Amino acid sequence: MPTPLLLQALAVLGAAAPAAAGVTVLRRRRARAASGGREAELLAKIAELTAERDELRRTASCDPLTGVWNYRHLQLTLDQEIERARRAEASTVDPRPLSLLMVEIAGFDALVAEHGRSRANAMLRDLAQRLAVEIRSCDTLGRYGGEEFLVLLPDTAPDGAAQVAERLCWTVRRHRLTDRHPGEAADPEARSGLTAAIGLAVLPRDGAHAAVLLRAADRALAEARAAGGDCWRAVPPRGPVPDPAAGPDASPLPGKVSSGPGEDTLTPHATTVGPRATGDRP
């Protein structure tokens, strides 16, 4: 090839090289932008799926009527708390007690007869939410079935569980009418008429397994029901009734809820709503 033609060809190629390089850079930028857009879409989709999964888990674990935990969640949590208490007992010199309260609400049928099913259900939901406020965040309140609720109290000895049972009975007794109809006169002191009977059981004193512990709480609940309700009872002793003066190690005697502040027995004003500074109850 003659030298002038070669020089012209090289000149053309030299002029085209920057243009080709610019096109390559532009294509790479567009590819990165497209890749970044797809990555953002994938991240947004993952976040959406995660939120939907969490909502499904919450829905599967919550009671649709009252909004508290359901029976399935209660069973799983009870098994987990029993296992945790066993591990703590085996690994430390200071065992971590687990108390259980079985709460039965009485008077709901009268609410249905007087106010209708829809309004009675709304009042039951409001009551369940109020009971949830009366326990610690580490405790578990769930609907066990019908008008029965179960409260799991980790790191709570019999004395602390008795205080919680006392407070829950007081809360139910003081529950006010809610969800009034339009134009209905509002009486701020009108009560719903509901009361609670509560059975108290403690691990490991009253049972070492979930089924045994639940049966023990059910027996205590039967004692509270037989006493007329609006009270709590501990598991009936199998042997002679312990002497109250025997000391702090004696099993707690059944308790009757006081009618209000100022009496010698426990009242809600003598208990705490939340955990102590250490997060434990006695």
Side-chain angles (χ1 to χ4, degrees):
M1 177 180 295
T3 301
L5 294 178
L6 179 59
L7 293 177
Q8 290 179 2
L10 291 175
V12 171
L13 291 175
V23 171
T24 301
V25 171
L26 182 61
R27 288 178 177 176
R28 289 179 178 177
R29 289 178 179 176
R30 289 177 178 177
R32 284 197 296 267
S35 177
R38 288 194 299 270
E39 183 178 355
E41 291 178 0
L42 289 175
L43 291 176
K45 189 63 176 179
I46 290 174
E48 180 182 353
L49 292 175
T50 302
E52 291 179 356
R53 182 204 61 188
D54 294 341
E55 178 65 18
L56 288 174
R57 285 181 176 177
R58 187 194 66 81
T59 303
S61 299
C62 287
D63 177 62
L65 175 60
T66 61
V68 297
W69 299 115
N70 61 13
Y71 178 84
R72 173 180 175 274
H73 184 83
L74 285 173
Q75 290 286 350
L76 294 175
T77 305
L78 178 58
D79 290 338
Q80 292 171 359
E81 291 295 344
I82 289 177
E83 182 60 28
R84 188 173 69 94
R86 285 176 178 171
R87 289 197 303 267
E89 185 177 8
S91 60
T92 64
V93 295
D94 185 20
R96 309 179 72 173
L98 170 66
S99 295
L100 184 150
L101 302 178
M102 189 171 289
V103 184
E104 182 181 71
I105 306 299
F108 185 73
D109 290 340
L111 280 181
V112 174
E114 181 178 358
H115 301 287
R117 174 67 63 176
S118 177
R119 187 178 182 188
N121 286 342
M123 283 189 277
L124 184 64
R125 177 182 178 86
D126 180 75
L127 176 61
Q129 297 300 319
R130 291 178 184 273
L131 293 178
V133 174
E134 297 296 331
I135 61 176
R136 305 170 301 180
S137 59
C138 63
D139 299 333
T140 302
L141 168 71
R143 189 183 182 196
Y144 194 63
E147 288 78 59
E148 286 189 354
F149 296 86
L150 200 65
V151 185
L152 307 180
L153 306 172
D155 303 322
T156 304
D159 291 344
Q163 292 183 359
V164 178
E166 176 83 17
R167 188 164 65 246
L168 295 184
C169 283
W170 184 87
T171 300
V172 175
R173 189 191 321 121
R174 297 286 295 174
H175 183 244
R176 297 176 180 177
L177 289 171
T178 57
D179 190 31
R180 300 183 182 279
H181 299 301
E184 183 178 356
D187 182 4
E189 297 301 322
R191 306 298 175 185
S192 63
L194 300 174
T195 58
I198 301 179
L200 187 157
V202 181
L203 177 86
R205 185 193 69 186
D206 303 320
H209 303 280
V212 179
L213 201 61
L214 289 170
R215 284 197 298 268
D218 194 54
R219 292 198 307 271
L221 174 60
E223 291 285 331
R225 194 186 303 117
D230 195 18
C231 62
W232 63 270
R233 290 290 186 270
V235 175
R238 297 180 179 178
V241 177
D243 185 358
D249 294 333
S251 299
L253 294 176
K256 178 66 180 179
V257 176
S258 61
S259 59
E263 298 189 6
D264 294 333
T265 53
L266 286 173
T267 68
H269 298 274
T271 63
T272 56
V273 174
R276 298 185 171 191
T278 59
D280 295 334
R281 294 191 180 98

